[in-house]
């Protein structure tokens, strides 16, 4: 009888953990204050592009491929948005300096390097665009 309770308890804990991870996946979080950007990321910024999406990936990450396709498509169809994929497999210090614990993680950076937001996991396209829209509207015209 005790074995049955252990199995049921393990099942409930596993389901709760799975639900929590699923809820966090793709959720937009506020930016973390960062003193300086790591050089491999700072090199990717374009002063003429209001927002750069920097995707931190690893070599054997299956969700990273899906994220790459999604973000590339968004950048292609959105004026003022650029996508860069940075493989951190051989440069873990970059992920560590940014406080990134999983891949894919997407950072939305302003042209001056300010982190606007971050997404752990595969982003939800419309939510991401909605969150970034105010940063496109600040763009000077003329």
């Amino acid at each position: 009888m005790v074995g049955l309770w252990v199995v049921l308890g393990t099942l409930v804990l596993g389901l709760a953990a799975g639900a929590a991870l699923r809820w966090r996946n793709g959720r937009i979080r506020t930016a973390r204050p960062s003193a300086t950007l790591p050089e491999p990321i700072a090199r990717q910024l374009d002063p003429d592009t209001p927002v750069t999406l920097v995707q931190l990936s690893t070599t054997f990450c299956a969700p990273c491929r899906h994220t790459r396709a999604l973000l590339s498509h968004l950048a292609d169809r959105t004026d003022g948005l650029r996508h860069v994929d940075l493989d951190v497999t051989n440069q873990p210090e970059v992920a560590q300096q940014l406080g990134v614990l999983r891949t894919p993680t997407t950072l939305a950076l302003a042209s001056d390097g300010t982190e606007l937001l971050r997404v752990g996991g595969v982003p939800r396209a419309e939510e991401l665009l909605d969150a970034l829209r105010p940063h496109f509207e600040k763009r000077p015209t003329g």
Side-chain angles (χ1 to χ4, degrees), residues 30-110:
T30 57
R32 290 185 173 188
S34 177
T36 58
L37 284 176
E39 179 57 31
I41 292 180
R43 270 195 314 255
Q44 301 298 328
L45 297 177
D46 179 4
D48 296 329
T49 304
V51 179
T52 300
L53 298 175
V54 178
Q55 175 187 340
L56 301 175
S57 302
T58 50
T59 304
F60 298 105
C61 168
C64 294
R65 290 187 285 277
H66 180 70
T67 300
R68 184 179 308 113
L70 175 98
L71 295 179
S72 292
H73 177 72
L74 282 179
D76 288 345
R77 69 179 180 109
T78 307
D79 186 39
L81 184 65
R82 183 169 172 252
H83 170 244
V84 175
D85 186 12
L86 182 65
D87 188 335
V88 293
T89 303
N90 295 319
Q91 35 190 350
E93 67 280 355
V94 172
Q96 183 178 19
Q97 188 175 347
L98 294 168
V100 171
L101 300 176
R102 67 184 280 197
T103 57
T105 292
T106 303
L107 306 175
L109 302 172

